[in-house]
Amino acid sequence: MDESTMWWLIAAALVALELFTGTFYLLMLAVGLVAGALAAHLGLSFSGQLVAAALVGAAAVVIGHLQRRKRKGDPSVRSLRSVNLDIGETLHVDNWHPDGTASVRYRGAQWTAVLEQGQVAETGNYRVTELVGNRLKVEKA
């Protein structure tokens, strides 16, 4: 079996493993293995193939990591109305505790409301922005 065939088989195995785990970095390492296979097709020695695979794989991982870090955080699933119908609903807060929480009656039960960052604690109507455990994150309506 040719060296390039081994590179292609290992790259395919990593792609399959990535499909099972959802780890993006395995896909980037598979790109490195493809570079090793291409180096084998070009007739480079085995050590040249290893260097090509290592450099391309490492570069792909680093670039992928930097791109993910630069991207703004995706909204939390807990803040999507399609997942939780409480998002966007309004409630009334009579008073706030010193720790920034309030006990509110919502949907016939007692809940703890927590202010979104940057909000001022004052009485009035608030809109639910996120559900975190059994706490409602709210902002002024």
Side-chain angles (χ1 to χ4, degrees):
M1 194 178 301
D2 287 342
E3 288 176 337
S4 63
T5 304
M6 292 302 294
W7 285 106
W8 287 114
L9 288 174
I10 297 169
L14 270 186
V15 169
L17 187 61
E18 190 277 334
L19 290 173
F20 284 115
T21 63
T23 306
F24 181 74
Y25 296 108
L26 287 177
L27 198 58
M28 295 296 99
L29 291 176
V31 169
L33 293 176
V34 167
L38 294 175
H41 284 298
L42 292 174
L44 270 70
S45 66
F46 184 69
S47 54
Q49 297 168 26
L50 281 176
V51 168
L55 289 177
V56 172
V61 167
V62 168
I63 290 170
H65 177 74
L66 292 176
Q67 289 293 328
R68 283 185 154 197
R69 189 162 17 126
K70 215 168 40 172
R71 184 175 35 161
K72 296 284 185 204
D74 293 332
S76 170
V77 174
R78 300 175 304 209
S79 65
L80 298 176
R81 181 147 175 93
S82 62
V83 174
N84 190 333
L85 295 177
D86 292 320
I87 306 303
E89 295 297 315
T90 58
L91 53 91
H92 185 77
V93 176
D94 292 324
N95 64 341
W96 288 95
H97 303 295
D99 64 353
T101 63
S103 294
V104 294
R105 192 107 175 117
Y106 176 68
R107 288 193 298 135
Q110 205 64 26
W111 289 76
T112 300
V114 180
L115 278 173
E116 280 282 353
Q117 190 170 359
Q119 297 284 314
V120 178
E122 53 189 32
T123 62
N125 290 330
Y126 285 82
R127 182 177 26 261
V128 177
T129 59
E130 187 175 354
L131 197 66
V132 181
N134 62 348
R135 293 175 166 232
L136 301 168
K137 269 190 156 178
V138 296
E139 67 183 7
K140 191 76 171 161

